[in-house]
Every structure is written in C-alpha cells, then in structure tokens.
Amino acid sequence: MALERTKNFAAVERMGKEFAEDFRLLEDIGWSEYEARETYVLTMPEPELRKLLWRLRDEAAQVLIEHGDEAESRRRDAETNRRFQIGHQTCEKVSGNLDSPRRE
Amino acid sequence: MAQSAIKITRDQREAIYQAVRTHLVGLSDVFTLLERQDDVPGAERLARDFADDFRLLEDLGWHEDGSSGQVELTMPHPKLSALMKRIREETEGGFHDAIRERDSVAPVEGLVATMRACDAVLVYTDAKQVAA
C-alpha cells in the first residue's frame, strides 16, 4: 500500500476516500458481477454521486487511451476494454442525467 | 437526539491508529474476492470493515503524526462501538499470537495500549447506549 511504501499520507487519504465512495456505490448496484435486477436506485447524495461518476469515467477513459496505444495489448485485453468502454459510457450517461435540469 | 463527540488522548489515538493501519494491509483481499466472485458476501463484509476504518481515519487523521492534543471521535456511537469491538478483538488475537510466539516486548505493549484505548472508548459508547 502507498502508505507503507511512500509515507505519502495525502495520497493515501485521497485513495481511502475514493475506496469508501466505491464501496458506497456498490451498496446500491450490488457486489456481485451477476446481478439479476433490471433497475437500480442510486441513493448517494447527488454531488457525491456526480463526483464519483466523473472519476470513474475519467479512470475508464485513461485505461482505454493507454490500451489504444498498443494494438496487441488491445487484442489481448479485448474483454477488459469492453468492460471499461461500457463503464465509461454508463458514467457519461448517468452523470448527464444528473446534470439535466429536467431531471425529477 | 444529537450525541456528543468522544475525546481520546494523543496516546490512545496513536494506539488505535496503528491498529487501523495494520488492518488496512488486507485491503487488497476485497479486490481478490471480487475478482474471483466466489465469496461476494465475504468481499462485501470486508469492504464494510474497511469503510469503517476510513471513516475513523477522518477523525484520527491520516498522517501518522496526528495532532498534538486530544482527538474527537464523531462517528455515531453504535457504529463506533461495533468498530472498537472489532479492533479490540483483532488486537487481542494478535496479542495472544505474540505471547505464544514470545514476540519482543515492544509490539506486545503496543497491542495492550490498543486494547486499553478501545476499552476506554467502549466504556463511553456502551454506557450511552444503555442509558438511551
């Protein structure tokens, strides 16, 4: 862990908060990869949720860009890429809904 | 009803902080379990424990040096009580292991300090719960 390796406490604090947000979101969307529900209710406060979705979107985009540089890597990690692509698009869509003034 | 924050000393903070830090070493177990998908409830349970650790660190401070004075614990008392019991139990396990393996005095003293610090918080949280 970064804490033991570098003693970078600021980075560790940021990572800890991000993990806490991730875990909180998983409370809503379920922990299993094989969820059978059709719809999910996201119960996090809107500003927190928006921030989280933007972070996940940016992280997914970063992975997709990195992979885009290496065609061989992309072929090998096609499934991983597909997952990040879906994640990126979903975060974009959900955060777009949050930003919409017509949202109820 | 609003609850009052519990104040702990710098030494108590240090003792609890070290226990939390030791526990965080197992964080990667959450991701291992999630990747394997063979014990999702286990991953969920572990993650909740780590989320509690992160919340406690908001009060204790993330830096190992911490503040110079007292620290206020602001978590809801039932949650704080459960967390202190977990930390105490884990520390007690480590204490018995250290005794069995005849570990050096220093780690054992640290573990005792952690157990005492947890007890000090529990006296307050559990008394409040009984009174309520």
Side-chain angles (χ1 to χ4, degrees):
Chain A
M1 229 188 126
L3 180 64
E4 301 304 329
R5 248 192 346 261
T6 65
K7 304 272 183 186
N8 184 343
F9 293 96
V12 170
E13 180 173 359
R14 181 178 49 75
M15 286 169 64
K17 285 175 177 170
E18 289 177 357
F19 282 132
E21 289 169 356
D22 292 343
F23 295 159
R24 175 65 186 78
L25 181 62
L26 284 166
E27 297 285 319
D28 286 342
I29 63 176
W31 288 80
S32 175
E33 193 172 346
Y34 312 105
E35 279 279 337
R37 284 179 277 171
E38 285 296 319
T39 58
Y40 296 83
V41 179
L42 305 182
T43 61
M44 290 171 73
E46 200 171 306
E48 203 175 317
L49 179 61
R50 183 183 292 115
K51 187 170 138 273
L52 170 56
L53 291 170
W54 278 95
R55 174 171 62 77
L56 293 176
R57 194 200 66 147
D58 287 350
E59 286 172 358
Q62 192 60 43
V63 172
L64 291 168
I65 290 165
E66 283 169 2
H67 283 217
D69 290 342
E70 299 173 22
E72 194 171 338
S73 167
R74 188 168 56 237
R75 277 197 299 277
R76 193 170 56 236
D77 296 334
E79 175 56 21
T80 306
N81 270 357
R82 190 188 65 82
R83 284 163 62 180
F84 276 105
Q85 190 77 50
I86 292 169
H88 183 271
Q89 288 167 355
T90 305
C91 289
E92 185 100 17
K93 191 175 173 186
V94 177
S95 61
N97 286 344
L98 288 175
D99 289 330
S100 167
R102 282 176 296 187
R103 181 177 175 265
E104 290 176 8
Chain B
M1 193 178 78
Q3 59 172 27
S4 56
I6 297 172
K7 289 180 182 171
I8 57 172
T9 65
R10 180 186 163 83
D11 287 345
Q12 288 170 329
R13 180 264 177 200
E14 165 70 13
I16 295 171
Y17 176 88
Q18 290 303 337
V20 171
R21 192 159 150 175
T22 301
H23 185 246
L24 286 180
V25 172
L27 184 59
S28 61
D29 292 347
V30 176
F31 311 111
T32 304
L33 286 173
L34 271 184
E35 284 307 306
R36 291 207 312 242
Q37 287 283 307
D38 57 356
D39 185 12
V40 173
E44 187 174 351
R45 198 169 47 247
L46 265 184
R48 283 185 176 147
D49 286 348
F50 287 118
D52 290 341
D53 289 343
F54 296 147
R55 174 62 186 83
L56 182 62
L57 283 169
E58 296 288 316
D59 287 342
L60 297 179
W62 289 77
H63 199 286
E64 62 187 350
D65 290 341
S67 68
S68 55
Q70 288 185 319
V71 173
E72 284 193 2
L73 305 181
T74 62
M75 292 172 72
H77 288 182
K79 196 162 192 169
L80 180 60
S81 171
L83 175 54
M84 288 297 123
K85 283 172 185 163
R86 194 201 83 210
I87 291 174
R88 198 200 186 288
E89 196 177 304
E90 288 167 357
T91 306
E92 196 171 348
F95 173 78
H96 289 307
D97 288 346
I99 294 292
R100 197 166 43 245
E101 292 161 15
R102 298 175 194 277
D103 217 333
S104 60
V105 175
V108 173
E109 283 179 352
L111 297 172
V112 170
T114 300
M115 288 190 284
R116 285 187 178 150
C118 290
D119 287 341
V121 176
L122 284 166
V123 163
Y124 197 84
T125 54
D126 289 18
K128 285 278 178 184
Q129 283 181 53
V130 169

